[in-house]
Amino acid sequence: MLHTAANPKVFQQIHIDVVRNATDDFNLFHDAEYWRRIRNNPFKGPIALGFQLESMIEHEFVRYRQGTNENELIDEYNLRFSNYQFSFVNAVKPGQAVDIDIKKPQFNPNGDVILSHRVSVKADGQLALVGYKKESPAPLFLNNPESVQFDDLNRYQDRSFLTPSGFFLKRKFMNVSNAKNFLCGSLADQRLYFDDLTDTAIFPEIFPCSLISCALLEKAKMESLDFENSPMVYTTHKISIDRKVLSAISSNDVLNILVRRVDDIDKSAQSADAESVQAYECYGLVEGGLILFRGLIGLTSLDSILKSIGV
């Protein structure tokens, strides 16, 4: 078990800005000044990014597993998919002491063959995020991509809507400099992933997934969402990443991100008004149509959050 209360992490606004810039996230909630434009903003200041928190968790697992046999277990049982399942309970603000708690692993080699850890994050002692990180031989989310016809995406323009699937396409690139900055902004040691002196180049799991935010924001902008009066916030992330595909990625490789709204989500698990929750099906595809990540992202309106807390 790993508990960081004795050495808490603290985000400053510069860390938030670095991650925003590395991922092209223009959400007003994270801007040092623009957060004031949000009507009835209950956070009273900028807040950390959801994927920033998950990257911090990923890095703590990297450090934690340096002292365990879990990496050998992952290789032995071919647990090639890394799965993140988190609910966002509260915001994390600059200057708060952030504590990560990773519980002891659960693993049954004669059962579902899933290595599972329960994880929680607290900010100044208040729960901010809770869920699981699991390693599995198959993706735990959206495990039926055959139902989605992925065409040759390179023939479509960036920021286009695909018919008849209804997906919005956002084209990004796996840039090493952005990944390094993303790690630094997530309070991670980038040398464990990128080191020119030792020719180490390992893209972290959460970095490509973090670009989902940019895709969702650009889709919302094209659909004329009012970011000041009707903003949306994350409620849940359910993401599966293929480590085998990730390990073959090189700098400047194309990443095609597909997002579309769907009805299928477990609304009983939401902390906000269940009827207000919107679910988005998301895929990240690389050369050859290989699926790097897939995820179900839950969003709700700020108005629903305010209603749930009686504001």
mmCIF file of all heavy atoms in Angstrom, residues 257-283:
data_model
loop_
_atom_site.group_PDB
_atom_site.id
_atom_site.type_symbol
_atom_site.label_atom_id
_atom_site.label_comp_id
_atom_site.label_asym_id
_atom_site.label_seq_id
_atom_site.Cartn_x
_atom_site.Cartn_y
_atom_site.Cartn_z
ATOM 1 N N ILE A 257 -8.491 11.126 -32.732
ATOM 2 C CA ILE A 257 -9.390 10.982 -31.586
ATOM 3 C C ILE A 257 -10.826 11.112 -32.077
ATOM 4 O O ILE A 257 -11.169 12.077 -32.765
ATOM 5 C CB ILE A 257 -9.095 12.034 -30.513
ATOM 6 C CG1 ILE A 257 -7.633 11.936 -30.065
ATOM 7 C CG2 ILE A 257 -10.027 11.863 -29.317
ATOM 8 C CD1 ILE A 257 -7.204 13.054 -29.145
ATOM 9 N N LEU A 258 -11.640 10.132 -31.739
ATOM 10 C CA LEU A 258 -13.049 10.125 -32.107
ATOM 11 C C LEU A 258 -13.896 10.230 -30.844
ATOM 12 O O LEU A 258 -13.683 9.482 -29.884
ATOM 13 C CB LEU A 258 -13.412 8.841 -32.850
ATOM 14 C CG LEU A 258 -12.723 8.599 -34.194
ATOM 15 C CD1 LEU A 258 -13.120 7.231 -34.744
ATOM 16 C CD2 LEU A 258 -13.082 9.689 -35.191
ATOM 17 N N VAL A 259 -14.857 11.153 -30.844
ATOM 18 C CA VAL A 259 -15.756 11.292 -29.697
ATOM 19 C C VAL A 259 -17.182 11.463 -30.213
ATOM 20 O O VAL A 259 -17.419 12.097 -31.244
ATOM 21 C CB VAL A 259 -15.365 12.490 -28.799
ATOM 22 C CG1 VAL A 259 -13.972 12.303 -28.220
ATOM 23 C CG2 VAL A 259 -15.452 13.805 -29.548
ATOM 24 N N ARG A 260 -18.127 10.880 -29.488
ATOM 25 C CA ARG A 260 -19.543 11.095 -29.786
ATOM 26 C C ARG A 260 -20.349 10.826 -28.532
ATOM 27 O O ARG A 260 -19.958 10.028 -27.667
ATOM 28 C CB ARG A 260 -20.027 10.192 -30.923
ATOM 29 C CG ARG A 260 -20.100 8.711 -30.590
ATOM 30 C CD ARG A 260 -20.670 7.910 -31.751
ATOM 31 N NE ARG A 260 -20.663 6.476 -31.464
ATOM 32 C CZ ARG A 260 -21.018 5.534 -32.347
ATOM 33 N NH1 ARG A 260 -21.404 5.889 -33.559
ATOM 34 N NH2 ARG A 260 -20.978 4.256 -32.014
ATOM 35 N N ARG A 261 -21.488 11.480 -28.444
ATOM 36 C CA ARG A 261 -22.356 11.291 -27.293
ATOM 37 C C ARG A 261 -23.126 9.978 -27.437
ATOM 38 O O ARG A 261 -23.573 9.629 -28.533
ATOM 39 C CB ARG A 261 -23.335 12.461 -27.154
ATOM 40 C CG ARG A 261 -24.140 12.410 -25.871
ATOM 41 C CD ARG A 261 -24.960 13.664 -25.665
ATOM 42 N NE ARG A 261 -25.843 13.513 -24.512
ATOM 43 C CZ ARG A 261 -26.686 14.443 -24.098
ATOM 44 N NH1 ARG A 261 -26.767 15.605 -24.752
ATOM 45 N NH2 ARG A 261 -27.457 14.231 -23.048
ATOM 46 N N VAL A 262 -23.257 9.265 -26.316
ATOM 47 C CA VAL A 262 -23.998 8.012 -26.286
ATOM 48 C C VAL A 262 -24.935 8.016 -25.086
ATOM 49 O O VAL A 262 -24.811 8.833 -24.176
ATOM 50 C CB VAL A 262 -23.057 6.789 -26.210
ATOM 51 C CG1 VAL A 262 -22.247 6.654 -27.493
ATOM 52 C CG2 VAL A 262 -22.121 6.890 -25.008
ATOM 53 N N ASP A 263 -25.861 7.076 -25.079
ATOM 54 C CA ASP A 263 -26.831 6.983 -23.982
ATOM 55 C C ASP A 263 -26.391 6.002 -22.902
ATOM 56 O O ASP A 263 -26.885 6.047 -21.780
ATOM 57 C CB ASP A 263 -28.197 6.542 -24.514
ATOM 58 C CG ASP A 263 -28.807 7.594 -25.426
ATOM 59 O OD1 ASP A 263 -28.571 8.792 -25.186
ATOM 60 O OD2 ASP A 263 -29.499 7.210 -26.380
ATOM 61 N N ASP A 264 -25.467 5.104 -23.224
ATOM 62 C CA ASP A 264 -25.127 4.003 -22.331
ATOM 63 C C ASP A 264 -24.134 4.450 -21.268
ATOM 64 O O ASP A 264 -22.959 4.633 -21.543
ATOM 65 C CB ASP A 264 -24.540 2.842 -23.139
ATOM 66 C CG ASP A 264 -24.222 1.644 -22.259
ATOM 67 O OD1 ASP A 264 -24.791 1.547 -21.167
ATOM 68 O OD2 ASP A 264 -23.403 0.798 -22.682
ATOM 69 N N ILE A 265 -24.594 4.662 -20.067
ATOM 70 C CA ILE A 265 -23.711 4.964 -18.944
ATOM 71 C C ILE A 265 -24.425 4.576 -17.655
ATOM 72 O O ILE A 265 -25.650 4.633 -17.570
ATOM 73 C CB ILE A 265 -23.311 6.454 -18.917
ATOM 74 C CG1 ILE A 265 -22.161 6.691 -17.926
ATOM 75 C CG2 ILE A 265 -24.490 7.338 -18.583
ATOM 76 C CD1 ILE A 265 -21.506 8.044 -18.060
ATOM 77 N N ASP A 266 -23.666 4.166 -16.662
ATOM 78 C CA ASP A 266 -24.236 3.792 -15.369
ATOM 79 C C ASP A 266 -24.499 5.061 -14.561
ATOM 80 O O ASP A 266 -23.657 5.523 -13.802
ATOM 81 C CB ASP A 266 -23.276 2.863 -14.615
ATOM 82 C CG ASP A 266 -23.838 2.434 -13.261
ATOM 83 O OD1 ASP A 266 -25.039 2.688 -13.019
ATOM 84 O OD2 ASP A 266 -23.080 1.856 -12.478
ATOM 85 N N LYS A 267 -25.670 5.637 -14.736
ATOM 86 C CA LYS A 267 -25.975 6.894 -14.068
ATOM 87 C C LYS A 267 -26.148 6.733 -12.562
ATOM 88 O O LYS A 267 -26.093 7.703 -11.818
ATOM 89 C CB LYS A 267 -27.220 7.518 -14.692
ATOM 90 C CG LYS A 267 -26.989 7.941 -16.137
ATOM 91 C CD LYS A 267 -28.176 8.678 -16.709
ATOM 92 C CE LYS A 267 -27.894 9.138 -18.139
ATOM 93 N NZ LYS A 267 -29.029 9.879 -18.725
ATOM 94 N N SER A 268 -26.354 5.511 -12.102
ATOM 95 C CA SER A 268 -26.496 5.298 -10.662
ATOM 96 C C SER A 268 -25.200 5.598 -9.928
ATOM 97 O O SER A 268 -25.205 5.816 -8.718
ATOM 98 C CB SER A 268 -26.921 3.845 -10.394
ATOM 99 O OG SER A 268 -25.904 2.934 -10.804
ATOM 100 N N ALA A 269 -24.073 5.595 -10.663
ATOM 101 C CA ALA A 269 -22.777 5.836 -10.029
ATOM 102 C C ALA A 269 -22.414 7.313 -9.995
ATOM 103 O O ALA A 269 -21.380 7.691 -9.468
ATOM 104 C CB ALA A 269 -21.682 5.066 -10.780
ATOM 105 N N GLN A 270 -23.259 8.168 -10.543
ATOM 106 C CA GLN A 270 -22.943 9.580 -10.608
ATOM 107 C C GLN A 270 -23.321 10.275 -9.308
ATOM 108 O O GLN A 270 -24.346 9.992 -8.707
ATOM 109 C CB GLN A 270 -23.682 10.233 -11.785
ATOM 110 C CG GLN A 270 -23.502 9.511 -13.106
ATOM 111 C CD GLN A 270 -22.051 9.437 -13.510
ATOM 112 O OE1 GLN A 270 -21.303 10.378 -13.320
ATOM 113 N NE2 GLN A 270 -21.638 8.326 -14.062
ATOM 114 N N SER A 271 -22.506 11.246 -8.924
ATOM 115 C CA SER A 271 -22.806 12.040 -7.729
ATOM 116 C C SER A 271 -23.762 13.188 -8.040
ATOM 117 O O SER A 271 -24.424 13.699 -7.163
ATOM 118 C CB SER A 271 -21.508 12.602 -7.133
ATOM 119 O OG SER A 271 -20.838 13.403 -8.080
ATOM 120 N N ALA A 272 -23.801 13.595 -9.301
ATOM 121 C CA ALA A 272 -24.694 14.684 -9.690
ATOM 122 C C ALA A 272 -26.054 14.121 -10.067
ATOM 123 O O ALA A 272 -26.282 12.911 -10.033
ATOM 124 C CB ALA A 272 -24.079 15.451 -10.858
ATOM 125 N N ASP A 273 -26.974 15.009 -10.421
ATOM 126 C CA ASP A 273 -28.297 14.608 -10.881
ATOM 127 C C ASP A 273 -28.145 13.661 -12.058
ATOM 128 O O ASP A 273 -27.614 14.014 -13.104
ATOM 129 C CB ASP A 273 -29.081 15.859 -11.282
ATOM 130 C CG ASP A 273 -30.476 15.526 -11.788
ATOM 131 O OD1 ASP A 273 -30.881 14.356 -11.697
ATOM 132 O OD2 ASP A 273 -31.152 16.443 -12.285
ATOM 133 N N ALA A 274 -28.627 12.419 -11.904
ATOM 134 C CA ALA A 274 -28.389 11.386 -12.909
ATOM 135 C C ALA A 274 -28.919 11.780 -14.274
ATOM 136 O O ALA A 274 -28.312 11.469 -15.304
ATOM 137 C CB ALA A 274 -29.026 10.065 -12.455
ATOM 138 N N GLU A 275 -30.037 12.455 -14.315
ATOM 139 C CA GLU A 275 -30.634 12.807 -15.599
ATOM 140 C C GLU A 275 -29.805 13.840 -16.352
ATOM 141 O O GLU A 275 -29.970 14.005 -17.552
ATOM 142 C CB GLU A 275 -32.058 13.333 -15.377
ATOM 143 C CG GLU A 275 -33.016 12.281 -14.834
ATOM 144 C CD GLU A 275 -33.082 11.040 -15.718
ATOM 145 O OE1 GLU A 275 -33.151 11.196 -16.943
ATOM 146 O OE2 GLU A 275 -33.037 9.924 -15.171
ATOM 147 N N SER A 276 -28.933 14.541 -15.663
ATOM 148 C CA SER A 276 -28.136 15.582 -16.312
ATOM 149 C C SER A 276 -26.827 15.058 -16.876
ATOM 150 O O SER A 276 -26.117 15.779 -17.581
ATOM 151 C CB SER A 276 -27.835 16.703 -15.317
ATOM 152 O OG SER A 276 -26.890 16.257 -14.345
ATOM 153 N N VAL A 277 -26.475 13.821 -16.564
ATOM 154 C CA VAL A 277 -25.184 13.281 -16.977
ATOM 155 C C VAL A 277 -25.183 12.946 -18.469
ATOM 156 O O VAL A 277 -26.096 12.297 -18.970
ATOM 157 C CB VAL A 277 -24.824 12.030 -16.154
ATOM 158 C CG1 VAL A 277 -23.536 11.388 -16.676
ATOM 159 C CG2 VAL A 277 -24.672 12.395 -14.689
ATOM 160 N N GLN A 278 -24.154 13.406 -19.150
ATOM 161 C CA GLN A 278 -23.950 13.079 -20.549
ATOM 162 C C GLN A 278 -22.756 12.134 -20.659
ATOM 163 O O GLN A 278 -21.744 12.328 -19.989
ATOM 164 C CB GLN A 278 -23.679 14.339 -21.375
ATOM 165 C CG GLN A 278 -24.806 15.343 -21.388
ATOM 166 C CD GLN A 278 -24.469 16.573 -22.210
ATOM 167 O OE1 GLN A 278 -23.483 16.610 -22.944
ATOM 168 N NE2 GLN A 278 -25.297 17.598 -22.089
ATOM 169 N N ALA A 279 -22.883 11.107 -21.484
ATOM 170 C CA ALA A 279 -21.795 10.152 -21.682
ATOM 171 C C ALA A 279 -21.237 10.301 -23.087
ATOM 172 O O ALA A 279 -21.981 10.494 -24.049
ATOM 173 C CB ALA A 279 -22.286 8.722 -21.469
ATOM 174 N N TYR A 280 -19.907 10.210 -23.185
ATOM 175 C CA TYR A 280 -19.238 10.289 -24.476
ATOM 176 C C TYR A 280 -18.343 9.075 -24.670
ATOM 177 O O TYR A 280 -17.565 8.706 -23.788
ATOM 178 C CB TYR A 280 -18.413 11.578 -24.573
ATOM 179 C CG TYR A 280 -19.280 12.805 -24.738
ATOM 180 C CD1 TYR A 280 -19.832 13.441 -23.618
ATOM 181 C CD2 TYR A 280 -19.597 13.298 -26.000
ATOM 182 C CE1 TYR A 280 -20.654 14.543 -23.761
ATOM 183 C CE2 TYR A 280 -20.426 14.409 -26.146
ATOM 184 C CZ TYR A 280 -20.943 15.013 -25.032
ATOM 185 O OH TYR A 280 -21.763 16.105 -25.168
ATOM 186 N N GLU A 281 -18.506 8.473 -25.828
ATOM 187 C CA GLU A 281 -17.692 7.337 -26.245
ATOM 188 C C GLU A 281 -16.480 7.890 -26.982
ATOM 189 O O GLU A 281 -16.624 8.689 -27.918
ATOM 190 C CB GLU A 281 -18.528 6.451 -27.163
ATOM 191 C CG GLU A 281 -17.850 5.238 -27.723
ATOM 192 C CD GLU A 281 -18.767 4.463 -28.659
ATOM 193 O OE1 GLU A 281 -19.834 5.001 -29.052
ATOM 194 O OE2 GLU A 281 -18.411 3.323 -29.012
ATOM 195 N N CYS A 282 -15.286 7.489 -26.553
ATOM 196 C CA CYS A 282 -14.057 8.085 -27.088
ATOM 197 C C CYS A 282 -13.060 6.993 -27.485
ATOM 198 O O CYS A 282 -12.884 6.009 -26.756
ATOM 199 C CB CYS A 282 -13.403 8.990 -26.047
ATOM 200 S SG CYS A 282 -14.509 10.234 -25.335
ATOM 201 N N TYR A 283 -12.416 7.207 -28.626
ATOM 202 C CA TYR A 283 -11.376 6.295 -29.093
ATOM 203 C C TYR A 283 -10.167 7.101 -29.553
ATOM 204 O O TYR A 283 -10.316 8.190 -30.118
ATOM 205 C CB TYR A 283 -11.866 5.440 -30.267
ATOM 206 C CG TYR A 283 -13.005 4.510 -29.939
ATOM 207 C CD1 TYR A 283 -14.322 4.915 -30.113
ATOM 208 C CD2 TYR A 283 -12.763 3.217 -29.465
ATOM 209 C CE1 TYR A 283 -15.381 4.068 -29.807
ATOM 210 C CE2 TYR A 283 -13.810 2.365 -29.161
ATOM 211 C CZ TYR A 283 -15.111 2.802 -29.336
ATOM 212 O OH TYR A 283 -16.157 1.957 -29.026
#
